[in-house]
Amino acid sequence: MKIGIFDSGFGGLTILDSLLRRLPQYDYLYLGDSARSPYGGRSLEIVHRFTREAVQWLFDEGCGLVVIACNTASALALQALRRRHPTVPILGVVRPGATAAALATRTGRIGVVATEATVQSGAYFAAIKEESPAVVVAERAASALVPLIESGELDSPRLDAAIGEVLAPLRSGPGSWSIDTLLLGCTHFPLIRAAFARCLGESVAVVDAAAAAAAGLADVVAV
Ligand code: DGL
């Protein structure tokens, strides 16, 4: 079987990497819409249209299953695409990431970092609440980190400062959310996982939606 992977750009290669390690026996076709990325600041209608076109292309190329690796596209367009293609499996990253975060928390306080569009969609908030209604979810839009990562800045004082600003309301301390789990809800963020972990300290678990989705897909195709 050929598995299609779609992302707004190259960030979804983090999922492809996880999949190649877990499921090397399949063929993969990766579509990164670099010409129109980033998606994280775009409207619902545009993200729908771009994602619809991409998924259709992957099916036209013979993929028997499609993974929407882009968090923004998963958050905004997955449900509509499943209605459009009811007989073929389309997987997203939001549900697996939400489940992994809900399992990881001990104090019931989860932070999510994602693009503006993903945060505005409320998809992670809703999915985590469905998993575990009593959990407190605090989301932070962090699209500003994407261009830094794309320019190759994976370990620098400027990146640490930008991460510190994003995470400030989530960290422990008076008036903050004091999360014990951070969910990386953007394809690019696993690339700077170490910088997030450094900023939050050892007491906070960092959960990666891409790795969770890859593990979920391994379960689906193994059936
Ligand atoms: N792939 C996007 C996501 O995971 C990040 C980059 C973009 O904004 O297109 O949300």
Side-chain angles (χ1 to χ4, degrees):
M1 179 174 57
K2 187 153 63 174
I3 296 177
I5 315 244
F6 165 61
D7 181 41
S8 57
F10 71 73
L13 291 171
T14 50
I15 285 217
L16 179 60
D17 181 53
S18 299
L19 288 172
L20 284 169
R21 286 169 205 267
R22 284 171 181 273
L23 301 165
Q25 68 273 37
Y26 293 101
D27 287 334
Y28 293 94
L29 181 59
Y30 183 91
L31 173 60
D33 188 7
S34 315
R36 302 187 292 193
S37 99
Y39 284 15
R42 291 189 183 272
S43 69
L44 179 72
E45 291 70 26
I46 293 287
V47 174
H48 267 219
R49 178 158 70 79
F50 289 176
T51 309
R52 194 170 64 232
E53 290 168 2
V55 168
Q56 186 63 54
W57 185 83
L58 288 166
F59 283 138
D60 291 348
E61 290 296 312
C63 295
L65 183 154
V66 166
V67 181
I68 302 184
C70 178
N71 290 257
T72 305
S74 290
L76 276 65
L78 178 66
Q79 297 309 331
L81 279 161
R82 283 190 171 152
R83 285 193 291 276
R84 192 181 175 87
H85 301 276
T87 57
V88 274
I90 306 176
L91 277 76
V93 289
V94 171
R95 173 68 54 180
T99 306
L103 285 172
T105 185
R106 294 288 165 265
T107 62
R109 304 185 73 80
I110 297 175
V112 180
V113 278
T115 64
E116 325 283 339
T118 301
V119 170
Q120 271 169 25
S121 76
Y124 270 114
F125 183 89
I128 294 171
K129 285 287 197 184
E130 263 175 44
E131 285 293 324
S132 192
V135 161
V136 172
V137 183
E139 295 186 276
R140 292 286 287 159
S143 296
L145 299 177
V146 170
L148 285 180
I149 298 165
E150 291 202 345
S151 67
E153 225 171 287
L154 304 182
D155 185 9
S156 72
R158 192 161 63 144
L159 180 71
D160 284 348
I163 288 176
E165 207 171 297
V166 167
L167 296 183
L170 306 181
R171 297 171 68 180
S172 56
S176 84
W177 289 88
S178 300
I179 59 164
D180 81 331
T181 301
L182 180 72
L183 175 57
L184 305 182
C186 172
T187 44
H188 290 52
F189 296 167
L191 297 168
I192 53 165
R193 186 193 178 110
F196 279 116
R198 207 165 43 237
C199 179
L200 289 167
E202 277 176 7
S203 58
V204 176
V206 179
V207 173
D208 170 357
L217 177 62
D219 292 344
V220 169
V221 293
V223 176

